[in-house]
Amino acid sequence: MDINIFISCISEFNVRVMVVCPFYYEKEKKNEESISYYVNSNGETEERDTEILARKIKEIICQTPHEDNDIVILCIGSDRYVGDSLGPLVGTMLKESRVPFRVYGTLEEPVHAFNLKGILKEINKQFKKPLIFSIDASIGDKDQVGYVRFKEGPLTPGKALEKMLPEVGDYHFVGIVNYLDPLPTSQFLNDTRLYTVMNLAKTIVKVITKMKAID
């Protein structure tokens, strides 16, 4: 990967994740033509790239009728495994940053496979037509580790309960925390570096907070 931010259609790793990760991302036929944005959380141009993505998300929000209190940030994951802790870390950081959006999924109160359906019911009760940004961890190729991916369309969590779970989000962020490996899932989750997950979390939070600061 030669550039720190690039635009591409949905890539193959989204299909292969189904085998390894407790949360995976299906290739949605209806969204094949939608565009993905990638930002390298460790790259030299990370500051510039987060600014570009923040402006893109601001543009998306401005094109909708939603107010700040109709925007939901749904951070999926569990703090029990480093490899799955990206969502709760982002949720905690966003709450500490006092963003004006409703945030679900923190280290204290994580959103995961066992309570996701209940949280979605709660969201649907509280909001008529919320604009939902979902956030979760993923795996990809070795040279993609440390990249944040932003794309229109929902995440498709699953596998943790050996059944399909509801698609979540109008748009989503994915942090690529590790690469494909023959290790068992539990070993993969523990093998992921906390340093990588923290950098990804900081980058996602930076994008969202910058977006809110843009006039």
Side-chain angles (χ1 to χ4, degrees), residues 87-117:
L89 281 169
V90 171
T92 298
M93 291 178 186
L94 287 174
K95 284 209 166 186
E96 290 174 349
S97 299
R98 299 184 182 278
V99 293
F101 316 124
R102 183 62 184 271
V103 177
Y104 289 87
T106 63
L107 291 171
E108 182 179 6
E109 297 180 335
V111 175
H112 43 67
F114 295 100
N115 65 0
L116 178 59
K117 286 185 178 181

Side-chain angles (χ1 to χ4, degrees), residues 3 5 14 29 54 58 69 99 109 112 115-116 120 123 148 150 165 175 192 210:
I3 56 176
I5 183 168
N14 293 301
K29 291 183 180 179
K58 181 74 171 184
N69 55 3
V99 293
E109 297 180 335
H112 43 67
N115 65 0
L116 178 59
L120 290 176
I123 291 172
V148 171
F150 177 78
L165 292 171
T192 300
K210 276 189 175 184

Side-chain angles (χ1 to χ4, degrees), residues 56-73:
K56 176 61 182 176
I57 297 172
K58 181 74 171 184
E59 179 184 323
I60 290 169
I61 292 175
C62 288
Q63 291 174 350
T64 73
H66 296 87
E67 300 293 337
D68 286 349
N69 55 3
D70 292 323
I71 297 173
V72 172
I73 311 293

Side-chain angles (χ1 to χ4, degrees), residues 5-164:
I5 183 168
F6 63 93
I7 303 174
S8 72
C9 290
I10 186 168
S11 53
E12 292 180 359
F13 74 84
N14 293 301
V15 179
R16 289 182 284 168
V17 170
M18 292 193 299
V19 180
V20 183
C21 195
F23 292 98
Y24 66 91
Y25 311 93
E26 280 191 327
K27 186 174 183 178
E28 307 131 80
K29 291 183 180 179
K30 63 183 179 180
N31 287 324
E32 280 182 348
E33 300 303 320
S34 58
I35 293 173
S36 296
Y37 296 84
Y38 286 76
V39 178
N40 186 352
S41 63
N42 299 311
E44 294 180 359
T45 60
E46 189 253 0
E47 285 291 334
R48 184 200 68 191
D49 297 342
T50 55
E51 179 81 18
I52 292 171
L53 184 51
R55 290 187 178 278
K56 176 61 182 176
I57 297 172
K58 181 74 171 184
E59 179 184 323
I60 290 169
I61 292 175
C62 288
Q63 291 174 350
T64 73
H66 296 87
E67 300 293 337
D68 286 349
N69 55 3
D70 292 323
I71 297 173
V72 172
I73 311 293
L74 181 58
C75 305
I76 301 170
S78 170
D79 61 340
R80 294 181 182 273
Y81 297 98
V82 171
D84 198 31
S85 63
L86 176 65
L89 281 169
V90 171
T92 298
M93 291 178 186
L94 287 174
K95 284 209 166 186
E96 290 174 349
S97 299
R98 299 184 182 278
V99 293
F101 316 124
R102 183 62 184 271
V103 177
Y104 289 87
T106 63
L107 291 171
E108 182 179 6
E109 297 180 335
V111 175
H112 43 67
F114 295 100
N115 65 0
L116 178 59
K117 286 185 178 181
I119 294 296
L120 290 176
K121 286 181 180 179
E122 180 182 332
I123 291 172
N124 289 329
K125 283 182 180 179
Q126 293 195 24
F127 305 92
K128 289 184 178 180
K129 291 183 179 179
L131 179 64
I132 301 177
F133 293 88
S134 52
I135 299 168
D136 201 359
S138 181
I139 55 178
D141 294 328
K142 192 171 183 178
D143 61 352
Q144 292 174 321
V145 175
Y147 277 75
V148 171
R149 171 176 174 263
F150 177 78
K151 186 175 185 291
E152 182 179 2
L155 296 175
T156 307
K159 292 289 182 173
L161 294 179
E162 297 183 353
K163 62 180 180 180
M164 295 299 295

